[in-house]
Amino acid sequence: METGSRQDVRASGDEPVWTALPPGLLRMRRLLLVVWSGLTAVTAAVLLGLFLAPAWAACALVPLGAAVWGWVLLGRNWRSWRYAERADDLLISRGVLWREETVVPYGRMQLVEVTSGPVERHFGLATVQLHTAAAATDATIPGLDPAEAERLRDRLTQLGQARSAGL
């Protein structure tokens, strides 16, 4: 099973075809974790070693331990994200301990935007943000390839216009 591509998990004819997030999002998040925890560990070691005693510099191992734990949690979180396009709606599923599945009907979408901050652009990633009439039902699909994000935006916009025209 290749990550970041369509995965057919059909048990029956009614099951959706889920698409996992590409591995670039996991790489980006893990790199940010290593950079920030490394900077925190070095800063803690230097400050504690200078102002207290060199033995206190060992406390800098705490951020490194947290980084190892975060590394594992980021992988589990990344694997939990997936989305599926169905005939009448878009499904977004995420969460490790508390699973969330958001169903966004195409006819209820008001705005579909693709965003990409400087870090995301560096890693070649984009985020699709879906806005509906109810603010609580806004949905996000992070870490997509920009071409896939644009394809998804165009498809969702087209389906949204077709479904809302019938209302």
Side-chain angles (χ1 to χ4, degrees):
M1 169 178 6
E2 184 179 319
T3 57
S5 62
R6 295 201 177 269
Q7 302 171 10
D8 194 355
V9 292
R10 292 180 185 215
S12 67
D14 296 335
E15 289 294 318
V17 177
W18 292 102
T19 304
L21 296 183
L25 178 65
L26 180 61
R27 279 193 301 270
M28 178 190 76
R29 288 181 174 173
R30 282 183 168 168
L31 179 65
L32 290 172
L33 173 72
V34 167
V35 167
W36 287 110
S37 61
L39 286 173
T40 303
V42 168
T43 303
V46 169
L47 292 177
L48 291 171
L50 286 175
F51 293 114
L52 293 177
W56 281 97
C59 291
L61 295 176
V62 172
L64 295 180
V68 170
W69 186 43
W71 186 277
V72 173
L73 292 180
L74 283 173
R76 290 183 65 195
N77 180 270
W78 171 76
R79 282 189 299 278
S80 75
W81 277 86
R82 59 191 185 155
Y83 66 96
E85 299 172 61
R86 297 194 304 185
D88 296 320
D89 51 32
L90 177 74
L91 299 175
I92 302 171
S93 180
R94 64 198 171 280
V96 177
L97 292 177
W98 287 271
R99 299 282 306 159
E100 274 186 55
E101 190 165 291
T102 304
V103 179
V104 184
Y106 296 134
R108 297 291 186 186
M109 287 185 219
Q110 292 184 330
L111 173 69
V112 180
E113 62 182 343
V114 175
T115 60
S116 187
V119 176
E120 284 180 311
R121 278 195 309 273
H122 178 75
F123 283 90
L125 301 172
T127 297
V128 173
Q129 177 77 37
L130 307 162
H131 299 279
T132 62
T137 60
D138 288 355
T140 302
I141 304 173
L144 295 175
D145 178 68
E148 170 64 8
E150 290 175 13
R151 182 204 66 82
L152 190 60
R153 178 201 59 209
D154 294 343
R155 176 168 161 66
L156 294 176
T157 301
Q158 180 184 28
L159 288 168
Q161 288 172 348
R163 297 298 192 281
S164 66
L167 294 177

